[in-house]
Amino acid sequence: MLYAQKTPAQKRLELRKMLASGDIKQFPGAYTPLSARLIEEKKFDGVYISGAVLANELGFPDVGLTTLSEVAQRAGQIARVTNLPAIVDADTGFGEPMNVARTIQEFEEYGLAGCHIEDQFNPKRCGHLDNKNMVDLETATKRIRAAAEARRDSNFLIMARTDLRGISSLEETIDRIKALVDAGADAIFPEAMKDLSEFEAVCNAVDVPVLANMTEFGKSELFTKEQLAAVGINMIIYPVTLLRSSLGAMEGVLDTIASTGTQEGYVDKMLTRARLYDLVDYEAYNQFDTGIFNFEVPDRFTS
Ligand SMILES: C[C@](O)(C(=O)O)[C@H](CC(=O)O)C(=O)O
Ligand SMILES: [Mg+2]
């Protein structure tokens, strides 16, 4: 009921333990606080909070328009309702290295378990698009060093993302990745790898956990958990999957209402009233006030 039972410190420790296990872990992108509950109920390992989704949800493209306060607040709303560790997309860190330091401390206060910081500069773009603006190695490593030094909880995960593969060779990308690890990155997010062998090369090059971004309609094929585990990947994110799926469903139901004059033909695809109440733990609120849940949810479509 209300917020998660686990504290941010516990969630960060659990994240560290799950990464130390060497097993591959899946982090679907939570689209809203409630969708984080669904991710937890379906027994995923953690929750990812996508910068693209937060920007798109505000009606913006993912070009670095969202502010630290907006992202931290929304990410905090998502993180606090789940017992799973939540990792947030810090984009370019919201400014200069000193701003990056503040970003980390804000995220710690908002209960996040970790974040990733990338080496683009604004206007940034989705890592799977061409012609990205990239900072040099010195700036990229300064951001990571500032992030690592700023945290107060040593279990807060600092992940370095590099977008270099979009404009450079795999070799140069791996050189940068090694420098990012030397600068203090606890994990690596190699963006827009072209195939499985590239993921494998990155995993072989470093001793820290490596993340694979399985975003749809991007440059990387949608590999399975087994395929990614076999090349040494530790974490998979599905960043925009729930947003794309729910918007697809929204289009479907709006078309149904527009064409038939009622949503009736779409109701069997909806989450039922009972399931929705389950997700918000409605019944548990009776512990405070037995007058809260003293009704029957109608039978129709409740299963
Ligand atoms: C992972 C990502 O940074 C995000 O914001 O979710 C995006 C996802 C996407 O645009 O598909 C990315 O740059 O890959
Ligand atoms: Mg992003």
Side-chain angles (χ1 to χ4, degrees):
M1 202 182 54
L2 294 173
Y3 302 152
Q5 290 79 48
K6 290 189 184 159
T7 65
Q10 282 173 312
K11 291 187 249 181
R12 288 178 198 136
L13 183 63
E14 284 181 12
L15 174 64
R16 290 295 182 150
K17 282 190 187 152
M18 70 171 76
L19 292 178
S21 76
D23 296 340
I24 193 158
K25 303 293 174 190
Q26 292 172 296
F27 287 62
Y31 159 54
T32 58
L34 191 55
S35 63
R37 287 262 176 86
L38 195 54
I39 291 168
E40 180 172 343
E41 193 190 271
K42 298 288 175 190
K43 303 213 179 325
F44 283 97
D45 307 292
V47 161
Y48 177 71
I49 300 163
S50 151
V53 167
L54 294 192
N56 295 167
E57 267 294 281
L58 292 170
F60 302 141
D62 180 21
V63 294
L65 286 171
T66 47
T67 65
L68 169 60
S69 322
E70 284 171 340
V71 171
Q73 195 183 31
R74 187 59 167 165
Q77 287 173 341
I78 293 173
R80 73 185 177 194
V81 300
T82 173
N83 289 306
L84 298 178
I87 291 180
V88 62
D89 180 353
D91 286 341
T92 59
F94 303 101
E96 299 302 314
M98 199 182 290
N99 302 84
V100 176
R102 173 150 192 244
T103 295
I104 300 305
Q105 298 196 349
E106 288 291 313
F107 287 166
E108 282 184 332
E109 279 173 28
Y110 275 97
L112 279 309
C115 72
H116 63 76
I117 299 155
E118 70 202 31
D119 52 2
Q120 294 193 54
F121 65 86
N122 283 346
K124 56 143 292 165
R125 59 183 60 179
C126 163
H128 290 257
L129 299 175
D130 298 321
N131 301 320
K132 289 181 277 189
N133 289 325
M134 301 289 307
V135 296
D136 60 16
L137 180 63
E138 201 196 335
T139 311
T141 50
K142 264 191 191 159
R143 284 181 186 169
I144 297 305
R145 199 164 294 118
E149 283 168 8
R151 73 187 137 186
R152 280 103 13 111
D153 181 345
S154 58
N155 286 328
F156 184 90
L157 191 87
I158 308 283
M159 189 182 319
R161 160 171 155 176
T162 180
D163 283 70
L164 198 62
R165 184 70 185 101
I167 59 156
S168 192
S169 68
L170 180 63
E171 243 185 351
E172 274 173 324
T173 306
I174 290 180
D175 285 347
R176 178 169 287 208
I177 285 171
K178 288 182 177 162
L180 292 167
V181 173
D182 290 344
D186 303 309
I188 289 292
F189 175 169
E191 180 63 307
M193 294 289 101
K194 300 205 187 320
D195 56 34
L196 263 183
S197 74
E198 296 201 351
F199 279 116
E200 187 166 27
V202 172
C203 293
N204 289 338
V206 288
D207 284 334
V208 298
V210 178
L211 175 149
N213 176 10
M214 290 293 103
T215 193
E216 302 84 12
F217 316 108
K219 289 201 190 292
S220 306
E221 218 179 287
L222 299 179
F223 299 114
T224 65
K225 180 181 175 184
E226 288 68 30
Q227 284 174 307
L228 291 166
V231 297
I233 291 291
N234 306 86
M235 306 168 78
I236 313 173
I237 54 167
Y238 307 89
V240 196
T241 309
L242 295 194
L243 177 73
R244 291 192 177 108
S245 308
S246 31
L247 283 173
M250 288 183 214
E251 269 202 319
V253 72
L254 290 173
D255 288 343
T256 304
I257 298 173
S259 62
T260 68
T262 167
Q263 72 273 49
E264 188 68 47
Y266 208 89
V267 171
D268 61 349
K269 292 200 192 67
M270 292 184 190
L271 197 76
T272 61
R273 180 181 290 273
R275 284 279 294 126
L276 185 56
Y277 285 4
D278 234 26
L279 276 181
V280 294
D281 211 4
Y282 205 144
E283 207 174 337
Y285 287 77
N286 256 352
Q287 285 172 17
F288 283 111
D289 181 347
T290 49
I292 286 180
F293 198 87
N294 56 4
F295 53 82
E296 292 288 311
V297 177
D299 275 354
R300 191 163 172 254
F301 300 122
T302 53
S303 58

